[in-house]
Amino acid sequence: MKTFRFFATLLVIALCAGFTSCSDDDDENPLFGTWISIYTENSTEYKEVITLNSDGTGTSAYYENGQIDKEGVENFKYTYDEKSKILTYIWEDGDVYSVRVTELSSSKLVLVDDVDEEGEGEITTFTKQ
């Protein structure tokens, strides 16, 4: 009987540890993290790096041929409306800028801005780092 009680106690402890020790990875928002977009135009390489934190803050930096832009790193707050797929940046100087998210996965983020009357705009593709 003592052996049965011992194994039953171990089983209960193992089950409790199994339910509480691991978080569900599906609950993580794929938007959070550091995203990089690189493109070349007229022999110049441009790189944009944005970081979106879970607390609604972020940073943005632009590079030209590996050198950080004269503006440096800019801080912002952001909101994301999952229903409308609109990502809105609120810059430190009060400017507000919105883009449409057309694709979001754990490794790819596609943004469209400057949308015209036909619903077309500039597409920027980011990969998660």
Side-chain angles (χ1 to χ4, degrees):
M1 189 66 171
K2 288 183 181 182
T3 304
F4 174 74
R5 210 180 276 181
F6 174 74
F7 284 114
T9 303
L10 283 178
L11 179 63
V12 170
I13 291 171
L15 287 173
C16 289
F19 284 120
T20 60
S21 64
C22 298
S23 65
D24 188 358
D25 291 338
D26 294 337
D27 290 340
E28 290 185 26
N29 188 332
L31 188 64
F32 305 149
T34 299
W35 298 92
I36 296 179
S37 175
I38 300 173
Y39 66 95
T40 302
E41 185 177 294
N42 298 328
S43 300
T44 302
E45 181 186 81
Y46 297 94
K47 179 165 81 169
E48 180 179 0
V49 180
I50 59 172
T51 300
L52 301 170
N53 302 312
S54 62
D55 64 355
T57 63
T59 58
S60 176
Y62 293 92
Y63 297 83
E64 186 175 317
N65 287 330
Q67 299 294 315
I68 194 159
D69 185 70
K70 62 182 178 234
E71 300 294 323
V73 176
E74 296 185 76
N75 297 310
F76 58 86
K77 293 183 181 180
Y78 73 91
T79 60
Y80 178 60
D81 183 343
E82 288 187 46
K83 187 174 181 179
S84 66
K85 306 284 189 213
I86 299 295
L87 177 64
T88 302
Y89 300 94
I90 304 106
W91 299 99
E92 288 183 320
D93 63 3
D95 285 346
V96 177
Y97 183 71
S98 295
V99 292
R100 186 168 26 109
V101 176
T102 59
E103 186 176 341
L104 175 61
S105 70
S106 62
S107 61
K108 187 176 183 181
L109 173 65
V110 179
L111 304 177
V112 178
D113 64 353
D114 298 328
V115 178
D116 59 18
E117 295 82 32
E118 287 84 36
E120 296 179 8
E122 184 179 329
I123 298 171
T124 306
T125 302
F126 292 87
T127 54
K128 190 175 249 182
Q129 297 300 303

